Amino acid sequence: MNDFFGLFLPAFFAVLLAILVAPVVQKHSGAVWRSITGIKFVQRNGVVISTYLLVAVIAWVVFMIILPQAYMLDFSFRHNLPPGKIGGPEDVYTLKNYQYLIFGRPGDEEMFNWLHLGVFIRTIVASIFVTLINFVICYPIAYYIAQVAKGGQARALILFLILPFWVNEILRAFAFRILFGTSGVINAFLQTMGIIDQPIDFIRADVALYAGLSYAYILLMVFPLYNAIESLDHNQVEAARDLGSPWWRIHWRVVIPHAKPGIASGCTLVFMLAAGALAAPQILGGPSSFWFTQIIYRWFNTGGNWPQGAAYAIVLLLACLIFVLTVMRVFKVSLGEIAK
Amino acid sequence: MSADVELDHVTIRFGDFTAVDDANLRIKEGEFFSFLGPSGCGKTTILRAVSGFLEPTEGEVRIGGQNMRGIGPNKRPTALIFQNLALFPLMTVAENIAFGLEVRGVDKYERRKRADQLLELIALEGQGDKKVGELSGGQKQRVAIARALAVEPEVLLLDEPLSALDLKLRQHMRTELRAIQQRVGITFIYITHDQGEALTMSDRIAVMSQGVIQQVGDGAAVYENSQTAFVASFVGENNPFVGRVSAADKDYAVVESHFGPLRGRNVGGLSAGDQAMLFVRPESLSFANGEAAGENVIQSTVLNSEFEGSFFSVFLRGEGDKDIVMSMTNSGRLPEVEVGGTSRLAFSPDRALVLPKGEVADE
Amino acid sequence: MSSRQIQNLMIFFYIILFFLYLFAPLFMMGVAAFNDVEFPQVVPWEGFTWRWFPQLFNDALMVEGIINSFWIGLGVVALSVPIGLAAAIMMTQVYERFQTIYYTVVVSPVLMPGVILGISTLVFWDRLGTLVDADYESLYYSGMFLTIVGQSTFISAYTMLIFLARLQRFDRTQEEAALDLGATHVQVFWKILMPFLRPAIFSAMGLAFLTSFENYNTTVFTIQADSTLTTVLAGKVRMGTQPDLAALAVLIIGITLIGAIAIEVAKRRELAKEAVAREEAKRAEHAADMSLAKAPAQ
């Protein structure tokens, strides 16, 4: 058995258990610790329930959240070994999975792995682009529902907003295929109107993918925006208008600053979901718009190199993390505000 | 079955804060005992310690002679009526009442029978199938009591149960509660900040302030023979006069106050030179305008008089902006009092108490 | 027209356009489901037909996917609802200072990309499996098991939030009253807390099942050789097959609409019942006042 496992697992577990249990368990001050039942937490909940609570929460937090992430991180630094060789002499740490992403195989003609790096960079850039489109589309609607629409109308609009998202994301992407395909609705419409002669290959031009991705996350942008804008006292907008401010300035100086947490929240969510999207790129993506997640999927599926896949996944996670931190810095909001 | 409750040097501390400081008393079985004091005095804390939701930091709580340390609220022979009643909203009235029996495994028919008996006791026969939300405030009170009685506790604890009710209902419930207690015969421990309640319902009262039990005794003891300045001022209306004792023997003491020498009963055991307060109740003061100045005569100006129904309150101001209250029973004639005029008040030394200077209750 | 009116008109058009954009795909799908053409499309329209619907059910792969999704959904409910409940209760009992850390940790799976959750679950259990030298057929490698675990990682956060919201309104003194009357902690849990949480439990179960059913990003890694409805769908869609997919979409929309209406009706009835009870209480209060006024003071 590997030293890492022998030490890592129990040590990690013990430390985590201590950290988790300590704030909850409280020794009764001044009293003698006679038995487990002396602990205030147990006194409050009874032995049976206390056990249930602790087991459930620890199982979740440790075994489903923390340890898997830790193992994935660990895994990404290992060689791709067949089961027989794991734990053996070849099972050492290596940086090669990460090196591969940047430099490609040693002996390649190019210095950098432009194939994969290119996909990574394009995924990030495209996700930012999708986030911006999404924001521009959703802001007016969010503003309208939050500030302009009356109670009943607002509720109805919200209902209509939610309805399309009851449909599975895959079917939604599929519907976009129907819309944007070479023999799809939009092309047929444009051709009958005489605007174009040949069908436009929307898919190849990535238009389908961007439209599809923006569409998919509308709800996740509208609601944080709506919540943030709704809390703005409408009188401020009125006051600004009274003072002669044109509508775009009202938004720029009054509404948007107030809605910053909502904007940060919405943008973060949309970016992370877009960067991590898999179904939409698979369905709507043309040959030139390969998504980073698709590469990761390949490593696990046909590529058969899980550690490599894990390394790429970590890189994706880091990208998301950096984005979140940047947004937090730029918008000057805290994590708690976003998490709501 | 009823039990006595003993507090043996019970002290309860929360971090640096002492909520109850060395409480010592014994509540007799079958007694209606009240803890009386302003909010924050520690009475709720004592109640929670007796019912088992708190363990004392020091000392012992004994019920029926048995030390209750380590015994949880579900194992103690006590039942608590919460201030907000805490009835179970999702259950019917009968289910609420029978809950204690249900958790003890009593079968359905037996439970229903017992619930019906209790419904009769609290005058709510036939209403067992109503939901709690459909009852009036007074009805909910009674259901809470029935629910507690169903488990046949040896001690019933009541946490300011009448504070949320309006005046008429409160007066009605006072008599009801006392009647129920005498019928059922178990020990009642009642906490309240309303001294009228405590006086009318209890066999004995413990007056508390800031964690300390100031005096334990029956209504008369606490009212007529208060042992501390706090008790004298908190229970009922009282007029305190501060000064130094100029002469004292075992029966009487004379306090040199703003208004001159005032003599009262030396219940505090004070000697000459001590700082003291003399207390005389409004009903013990009378107008003495015809008499000459002398001992126990107070010169003052009338501010106002109020008609309280069965008596009059007259508010006067003495020298040095000292407010005095006196009361006269309504004998059918208006008092010969002139607002703004000076009056002389007098009282008998036997009706005044001289106590060590101390904390006085807030208005 | 005044600039204000133009503005309002523009806004009006925008909203129409927006909702058109929102509903267009669904509408397309509705039409394509009935179009009598081999390839799912709206134009050219070849005539109305029902034939894609039965074809849906003859597809063995699809049926297997649906069955697997169903069992996984149940598994996720069985796992994430108790966990979410425990986490919510814990949250209310943890010291104030630790509440933000606790909250951040448990909500983090929701913020992570689904693919990361799938990969980490897969890798973790795979490693555990090799550690204990587990059999290939065992739990450690089972697609169904891993999918249940992977999905529950973030779905438990959702259920926790539902329970937290409901718990905020819980009157703690009821628990104390029950204890005082002699109930054990387990009895208090089942007889007092659970009935109160019942609506939240149903919401949580519903949400957990639906979220699990339609999950793709996490599932596609953990399911390995098996399949769920979503992975089957994705496979078929990439191969661009027949309109039976559109038929499926229409079915799903139909079912959800019915479900949404049913929930709305149930809510209305619940509110009506509460209003009646309150009226009852007011009448009782009034009656009590009257009787006291008449009765002489005792």
Side-chain angles (χ1 to χ4, degrees):
Chain A
M1 195 189 326
N2 193 318
D3 282 345
F4 182 77
F5 268 104
L7 293 172
F8 186 86
L9 183 58
F12 208 108
F13 187 15
V15 167
L16 276 162
L17 188 60
I19 295 176
L20 285 169
V21 171
V24 164
V25 167
Q26 177 194 320
K27 246 201 204 142
H28 193 72
S29 61
V32 176
W33 182 316
R34 260 192 264 127
S35 67
I36 293 284
T37 54
I39 306 173
K40 204 146 176 237
F41 178 69
V42 181
Q43 265 181 353
R44 181 153 177 201
N45 293 304
V47 184
V48 175
I49 309 281
S50 301
T51 321
Y52 154 60
L53 293 181
L54 280 176
V55 167
V57 174
I58 290 179
W60 183 31
V61 172
V62 173
F63 284 95
M64 287 161 75
I65 301 180
I66 298 184
L67 281 186
Q69 301 299 322
Y71 269 79
M72 183 171 73
L73 188 63
D74 173 78
F75 202 61
S76 69
F77 289 109
R78 292 187 181 277
H79 293 279
N80 185 20
L81 298 168
K85 290 199 178 160
I86 294 185
E90 293 183 36
D91 197 359
V92 294
Y93 286 113
T94 170
L95 279 176
K96 80 167 189 196
N97 295 322
Y98 290 92
Q99 285 172 326
Y100 185 82
L101 173 61
I102 304 176
F103 298 111
R105 263 185 295 269
D108 267 353
E109 35 190 68
E110 297 271 349
M111 223 206 356
F112 293 106
N113 184 354
W114 288 120
L115 190 63
H116 289 181
L117 275 183
V119 170
F120 178 67
I121 293 172
R122 278 192 44 257
T123 305
I124 302 294
V125 169
S127 300
I128 296 180
F129 189 52
V130 165
T131 307
L132 286 173
I133 297 179
N134 204 299
F135 175 72
V136 168
I137 297 179
C138 292
Y139 181 83
I141 288 288
Y143 182 77
Y144 185 80
I145 300 182
Q147 292 280 339
V148 182
K150 309 294 174 286
Q153 195 187 21
R155 269 198 304 268
L157 282 176
I158 292 181
L159 187 65
F160 281 128
L161 214 54
I162 298 182
L163 228 44
F165 295 93
W166 281 111
V167 181
N168 192 287
E169 58 171 327
I170 298 184
L171 294 173
R172 285 202 303 263
F174 176 55
F176 266 82
R177 259 272 273 271
I178 301 179
L179 265 182
F180 283 100
T182 39
S183 46
V185 176
I186 293 190
N187 268 319
F189 179 70
L190 292 174
Q191 280 182 303
T192 31
M193 296 291 281
I195 299 179
I196 53 170
D197 291 322
Q198 294 283 31
I200 304 178
D201 193 348
F202 285 109
I203 293 185
R204 185 162 231 128
D206 294 343
V207 174
L209 181 57
Y210 289 168
L213 279 177
S214 308
Y215 180 90
Y217 307 124
I218 284 183
L219 218 55
L220 283 145
M221 177 68 83
V222 170
F223 272 111
L225 282 181
Y226 165 76
N227 277 322
I229 298 178
E230 210 225 349
S231 65
L232 175 66
D233 183 3
H234 193 69
N235 291 328
Q236 289 194 27
V237 177
E238 288 297 340
R241 197 177 296 157
D242 272 344
L243 291 167
S245 180
W247 64 267
W248 51 269
R249 204 183 236 136
I250 297 180
H251 284 275
W252 182 248
R253 298 301 304 277
V254 179
V255 186
I256 291 185
H258 181 91
K260 266 204 306 210
I263 300 179
S265 188
C267 288
T268 315
L269 282 172
V270 172
F271 175 82
M272 299 213 302
L273 285 168
L278 189 50
Q282 279 177 332
I283 296 169
L284 292 172
S288 65
S289 65
F290 217 49
W291 217 245
F292 197 61
T293 46
Q294 291 174 287
I295 300 185
I296 300 179
Y297 181 66
R298 274 229 298 241
W299 284 124
F300 276 91
N301 202 356
T302 51
N305 191 344
W306 287 17
Q308 186 79 62
Y312 278 36
I314 297 280
V315 169
L316 181 64
L317 191 57
L318 279 175
C320 288
L321 216 62
I322 293 176
F323 185 84
V324 174
L325 291 173
T326 315
V327 164
M328 271 167 52
R329 185 65 64 85
V330 166
F331 283 84
K332 301 188 191 65
V333 289
S334 73
L335 189 62
E337 294 173 37
I338 297 185
K340 270 183 240 150
Chain B
M1 256 283 289
S2 179
D4 65 345
V5 178
E6 281 173 79
L7 298 176
D8 188 355
H9 291 289
V10 169
T11 300
I12 304 176
R13 276 190 274 269
F14 299 111
D16 287 333
F17 174 65
T18 306
V20 176
D21 196 356
D22 198 31
N24 279 290
L25 51 83
R26 183 171 168 272
I27 301 168
K28 302 197 245 297
E29 41 189 280
E31 193 177 12
F32 195 122
F33 191 93
S34 294
F35 282 89
L36 175 65
S39 2
C41 71
K43 52 194 200 295
T44 312
T45 315
I46 287 191
L47 205 70
R48 288 180 75 85
V50 173
S51 59
F53 290 106
L54 276 180
E55 288 285 358
T57 322
E58 285 166 29
E60 270 181 25
V61 173
R62 284 193 285 271
I63 301 179
Q66 201 189 353
N67 185 357
M68 288 283 128
R69 182 167 288 277
I71 302 183
N74 47 1
K75 303 259 191 318
R76 296 198 189 192
T78 58
L80 176 57
I81 313 269
F82 291 78
Q83 194 166 7
N84 71 346
L85 302 182
L87 294 178
F88 305 127
L90 299 169
M91 299 188 207
T92 64
V93 168
E95 284 168 352
N96 261 278
I97 295 177
F99 182 78
L101 301 170
E102 187 186 329
V103 298
R104 281 168 175 74
V106 173
D107 75 76
K108 222 168 167 192
Y109 298 108
E110 187 58 43
R111 289 205 310 257
R112 190 65 209 222
K113 217 170 56 155
R114 189 85 179 98
D116 286 333
Q117 278 175 354
L118 284 158
L119 282 167
E120 225 190 284
L121 179 72
I122 59 171
L124 278 176
E125 307 93 48
Q127 316 248 19
D129 290 317
K130 278 211 176 132
K131 275 278 161 65
V132 168
E134 299 170 40
L135 301 178
S136 72
Q139 288 173 328
K140 284 192 208 165
Q141 264 295 343
R142 285 182 272 162
V143 172
I145 294 170
R147 183 176 73 173
L149 292 177
V151 299
E152 290 173 10
E154 291 170 7
V155 182
L156 189 65
L157 308 162
L158 301 102
D159 185 352
E160 305 208 47
L162 307 184
S163 52
L165 304 177
D166 60 61
L167 185 64
K168 266 236 161 282
L169 194 52
R170 232 183 298 158
Q171 287 173 337
H172 179 80
M173 286 304 294
R174 278 191 208 174
T175 344
E176 280 246 356
L177 277 176
R178 189 52 164 152
I180 292 178
Q181 192 261 343
Q182 284 175 329
R183 221 175 320 165
V184 177
I186 60 179
T187 317
F188 268 38
I189 301 183
Y190 190 92
I191 67 174
T192 179
H193 59 267
D194 181 338
Q195 31 99 2
E197 270 174 26
L199 287 172
T200 47
M201 299 200 292
S202 333
D203 292 321
R204 282 193 305 155
I205 305 173
V207 182
M208 283 186 78
S209 170
Q210 300 188 351
V212 178
I213 296 181
Q214 306 250 336
Q215 181 175 359
V216 179
D218 63 22
V222 159
Y223 189 82
E224 304 285 0
N225 291 311
S226 323
Q227 286 172 357
T228 71
F230 181 82
V231 177
S233 54
F234 187 80
V235 184
E237 288 260 30
N238 219 336
N239 293 298
F241 297 93
V242 186
R244 188 180 287 265
V245 176
S246 58
D249 59 40
K250 69 171 172 57
D251 294 318
Y252 295 99
V254 177
V255 175
E256 294 297 332
S257 76
H258 255 316
F259 303 91
L262 301 173
R263 179 197 291 267
R265 285 171 29 235
N266 190 4
V267 288
L270 295 163
S271 358
D274 290 339
Q275 285 288 341
M277 292 168 109
L278 179 129
F279 287 92
V280 59
R281 296 216 177 258
E283 65 270 17
S284 305
L285 290 167
S286 50
F287 284 110
N289 291 317
E291 290 167 33
E295 194 182 65
N296 289 5
V297 175
I298 299 167
Q299 189 106 328
S300 54
T301 322
V302 177
L303 291 176
N304 196 9
S305 85
E306 281 175 10
F307 177 52
E308 308 258 7
S310 56
F311 63 96
F312 289 92
S313 282
V314 184
F315 297 91
L316 309 103
R317 181 157 287 173
E319 228 179 83
D321 282 342
K322 172 94 182 70
D323 283 342
I324 305 171
V325 184
M326 70 89 69
S327 69
M328 299 166 51
T329 44
N330 183 1
S331 58
R333 286 186 322 157
L334 287 169
E336 334 127 357
V337 171
E338 187 194 308
V339 175
T342 27
S343 276
R344 282 213 277 262
L345 298 167
F347 59 91
S348 151
D350 289 318
R351 300 301 306 265
L353 296 176
V354 179
L355 293 167
K357 180 164 178 215
E359 172 208 356
V360 161
D362 293 328
E363 286 306 301
Chain C
M1 277 197 282
S2 75
S3 82
R4 195 66 185 282
Q5 280 178 311
I6 298 180
Q7 242 180 49
N8 284 342
L9 210 64
M10 272 172 44
I11 295 174
F12 183 68
F13 266 127
Y14 181 80
I15 295 183
I16 299 280
L17 216 70
F18 181 84
F19 280 97
L20 221 67
Y21 174 54
L22 217 56
F23 281 92
L26 305 182
F27 182 68
M28 294 303 127
M29 225 131 46
V31 173
F34 296 102
N35 192 356
D36 196 358
V37 170
E38 282 302 317
F39 191 78
Q41 55 200 28
V42 176
V43 284
W45 178 262
E46 297 288 331
F48 191 92
T49 176
W50 282 105
R51 69 174 161 128
W52 303 117
F53 285 89
Q55 179 161 342
L56 196 58
F57 300 107
N58 285 330
D59 187 340
L61 203 58
M62 184 94 78
V63 171
E64 186 192 328
I66 294 179
I67 293 179
N68 282 347
S69 290
F70 181 76
W71 286 118
I72 290 175
L74 288 186
V76 167
V77 166
L79 193 56
S80 66
V81 169
I83 288 182
L85 176 60
I89 295 177
M90 276 287 242
M91 174 75 114
T92 59
Q93 298 191 8
V94 170
Y95 284 158
E96 301 271 311
R97 316 172 264 155
F98 292 98
Q99 267 183 2
T100 11
I101 306 180
Y102 181 80
Y103 187 75
T104 316
V105 168
V106 297
V107 162
S108 63
V110 172
L111 302 174
M112 263 189 264
V115 299
I116 305 281
L117 285 177
I119 294 173
S120 59
T121 309
L122 183 63
V123 164
F124 176 67
W125 288 92
D126 180 80
R127 281 297 252 182
L128 270 189
T130 47
L131 181 68
V132 301
D133 247 326
D135 188 34
Y136 187 64
E137 295 294 314
S138 75
L139 211 60
Y140 293 92
Y141 302 106
S142 150
M144 301 282 282
F145 173 70
L146 290 189
T147 307
I148 294 178
V149 172
Q151 288 182 356
S152 298
T153 307
F154 77 95
I155 293 182
S156 300
Y158 289 148
T159 57
M160 181 188 84
L161 290 173
I162 293 180
F163 285 122
L164 262 184
R166 184 81 176 143
L167 272 179
Q168 306 283 31
R169 302 197 299 152
F170 183 58
D171 176 12
R172 270 271 122 79
T173 53
Q174 280 183 44
E175 278 187 333
E176 292 187 340
L179 277 179
D180 179 73
L181 290 166
T184 63
H185 284 104
V186 176
Q187 283 172 320
V188 172
F189 188 79
W190 283 116
K191 291 182 188 286
I192 308 290
L193 189 59
M194 287 292 109
F196 177 78
L197 287 176
R198 218 172 50 138
I201 295 179
F202 284 124
S203 308
M205 284 170 63
L207 182 69
F209 187 82
L210 288 175
T211 313
S212 156
F213 206 79
E214 59 129 44
N215 181 272
Y216 179 69
N217 285 9
T218 307
T219 311
V220 79
F221 285 95
T222 51
I223 198 71
Q224 295 166 93
D226 291 317
S227 62
T228 66
L229 178 60
T230 47
T231 59
V232 168
L233 273 184
K236 293 187 126 224
V237 168
R238 277 147 76 195
M239 291 193 279
T241 48
Q242 296 161 316
D244 55 356
L245 293 178
L248 182 66
V250 170
L251 272 179
I252 293 181
I253 299 175
I255 295 178
T256 7
L257 270 179
I258 296 176
I261 294 177
I263 293 179
E264 196 48 40
V265 167
K267 235 197 291 183
R268 295 269 166 88
R269 236 183 301 160
E270 191 63 42
L271 285 171
K273 258 199 284 180
E274 277 176 27
V276 168
R278 256 173 297 164
E279 275 309 307
E280 205 31 68
K282 264 195 250 168
R283 248 176 284 145
E285 199 78 50
H286 190 69
D289 286 340
M290 294 272 99
S291 71
L292 269 180
K294 289 203 211 105
Q298 275 153 319

